[in-house]
Amino acid sequence: MMVIECIVNDKKYVLEVDPQERLLDVLRNHLGLLGTKEGCGEGECGACTVILDGKTVNSCLVLAGQAHNSVITTIEGVGNRQSPHPVQKAFVEVGAVQCGFCTPGMVLSAKNLLDKNPHPSDEEIGVALSGNLCRCTGYDKILRAVKLAAEEGK
Amino acid sequence: MKYYQPQSVNEAIEIAYSSQGIFLAGGTDLVLQMQKRKIQPKALIDLGRIPELHEIKETKEYIEIGSMATFSEMGKSKLIAEKASSLWLACQTMGSPQIRNQATIGGNLGNCSPAADGLPPLLALGTEAVLISGEGEKQMPLADLLGQTPLLSPGTLIVGFKIPKIHLLSGFAKLGRREALAIARLSVAVALELDGSKVGNVRVALGAVGRRAFLSDSLAHVLSQREFNESWLELGISQIQGVVRAALGDRASAPYKRVAVAGVFREAVASLRRQGGLDK
């Protein structure tokens, strides 16, 4: 076992973890943050996307130790029912959610894009979401929702 | 399993010696292999906390890239965009944004997948690899290193890469099943010296054609010291199809790749022309 320290959604944690555990396991099993989903478990689908030190990563490919001393944002830290993030609001407004499994990852990739680049082009939105697969929507409404969130932020 | 986070290269080498652990770079390949129990290390030595391994810098003779530079960092580097454009291009399409934020160029070599996107550009650019072990530091051409089996002896750490500054124009193209998140089925990197309309030395490297990325001597020989025009391109295409035929023999993918490589080569040369400002 090993001890890691990290800040998750603005809260500091000191955790005893197995070095084999992935960040995904730490978030879901130790912290009970079930918004981060495990889809493929091999870095293809992006359902487990979180923001680690300002960058999106697949938490299924990050070991707990690699997250030591880092700052992490999961979907639970982005917004909630009472005060949703502009990206979440836009997803609801446009109807960009169907089964919802990919949505947390999509929202985090979109949020991270808009944090760095508040007025992205269509192509930049496409690239930013290219690591997140959706098997329901056909992507069109998701891309429109991100565009709407960017426009509302202007 | 033990987990170490050394703060310096020397500390990492010492831990590797005493623990018989393996080095962890970005983890995008290794974590997956551990999950599937293909690799069960006694110890992991996480290289993420060694500042010097993250550097991308220009020295008098080289562009130097630390082994822990991520594909995102390289893909955002103005220096790499200007002086090593084939590598820069490879960084734009490798994996996905999430993978590029985590995967490193050193890990790309250490894991050495046949389809590793970073290796053909580095080969075409005439890159030297810098390695360190208990026996000391050594520098050798990446092309020679890729000819070795095993690639690295246990306890050897990839420190980084040195790309000679010899004003090469370079390009890269790959073929995948979709644009993002696709493992390269075939990739080509081309680098050349251009003096007016005359091509000097040429290097062409191929990925996902056989066990490891490689430089083609025959392409270098045929395409160097010629006029850079449409017939040069056609000569390159017929030659590279022969190289793929010879490398793949009667493998199932051979009939497809032999034909497809023509388009990939054409695209790599087009990207070289664009990056070099030859097409406005």
Side-chain angles (χ1 to χ4, degrees), chain B residues 185-256:
Chain B
R185 303 284 144 184
L186 188 63
S187 66
V188 173
V190 184
L192 50 82
E193 302 162 339
L194 194 63
D195 183 8
S197 65
K198 191 151 184 289
V199 172
N201 289 320
V202 178
R203 269 191 296 257
V204 183
L206 291 98
V209 178
R211 194 167 64 101
R212 287 177 183 168
F214 66 92
L215 264 183
S216 163
D217 290 337
S218 67
L219 278 164
H221 180 71
V222 170
L223 294 176
S224 295
Q225 320 299 338
R226 284 180 179 271
E227 283 297 305
F228 191 46
N229 52 23
E230 197 56 34
S231 59
W232 182 90
L233 188 61
E234 293 306 321
L235 180 67
I237 287 170
S238 69
Q239 197 69 24
I240 202 167
Q241 289 186 308
V243 169
V244 170
R245 187 180 300 126
L248 290 180
D250 52 7
R251 263 185 243 200
S253 63
Y256 166 62

Side-chain angles (χ1 to χ4, degrees), chain A residues 95-99 102 106 129 132-144, chain B residues 178:
Chain A
V97 180
Q98 287 188 21
C99 89
C102 73
M106 288 282 181
L129 297 186
N132 296 81
L133 300 186
C134 172
R135 300 288 83 159
C136 308
T137 63
Y139 300 104
D140 187 53
K141 289 187 173 181
I142 293 174
L143 298 172
R144 261 195 277 161
Chain B
R178 65 197 286 276

Side-chain angles (χ1 to χ4, degrees), chain B residues 66-85:
Chain B
S67 58
M68 288 296 288
T70 65
F71 279 81
S72 291
E73 286 160 355
M74 294 187 292
K76 286 180 187 140
S77 158
K78 205 171 156 236
L79 180 64
I80 292 177
E82 284 170 3
K83 306 261 169 78
S85 57

Side-chain angles (χ1 to χ4, degrees), chain A residues 61-148:
Chain A
L61 295 182
V62 177
L63 286 176
Q66 291 177 289
H68 177 47
N69 282 338
S70 64
V71 177
I72 298 153
T73 304
T74 70
I75 192 67
E76 289 87 350
V78 171
N80 55 40
R81 213 174 270 262
Q82 285 72 41
S83 62
H85 186 273
V87 172
Q88 291 173 312
K89 253 201 253 164
F91 267 59
V92 173
E93 214 159 294
V94 172
V97 180
Q98 287 188 21
C99 89
F101 199 82
C102 73
T103 312
M106 288 282 181
V107 169
L108 284 160
S109 286
K111 175 201 179 314
N112 203 47
L113 168 70
L114 298 183
D115 285 349
K116 300 207 156 98
N117 177 5
H119 310 298
S121 66
D122 290 359
E123 200 197 332
E124 286 168 328
I125 295 173
V127 170
L129 297 186
S130 63
N132 296 81
L133 300 186
C134 172
R135 300 288 83 159
C136 308
T137 63
Y139 300 104
D140 187 53
K141 289 187 173 181
I142 293 174
L143 298 172
R144 261 195 277 161
V146 180
K147 214 173 162 181
L148 176 68

Side-chain angles (χ1 to χ4, degrees), chain A residues 2 19-20 22 25 41-46 49 55-58 60-63 65-69 109 127-133 135 139, chain B residues 1-3 5 24-29 31-32 34-37 41 44 46 49 70 73 95-102 178 180-183:
Chain A
M2 65 187 285
Q20 304 258 11
R22 305 161 299 170
D25 306 317
E42 45 188 54
E44 293 279 339
C45 76
T49 300
K55 293 171 192 149
T56 54
V57 295
N58 292 315
C60 73
L61 295 182
V62 177
L63 286 176
Q66 291 177 289
H68 177 47
N69 282 338
S109 286
V127 170
L129 297 186
S130 63
N132 296 81
L133 300 186
R135 300 288 83 159
Y139 300 104
Chain B
M1 186 188 76
K2 293 229 174 213
Y3 193 93
Q5 280 185 326
L24 168 67
T28 53
D29 290 307
V31 173
L32 194 53
M34 284 169 55
Q35 281 288 312
K36 295 188 169 169
R37 310 213 173 271
L44 278 183
D46 178 355
R49 309 294 152 126
T70 65
E73 286 160 355
S96 66
Q98 291 92 320
I99 299 283
R100 293 195 282 275
N101 283 337
Q102 207 187 330
R178 65 197 286 276
L181 279 168
I183 288 169

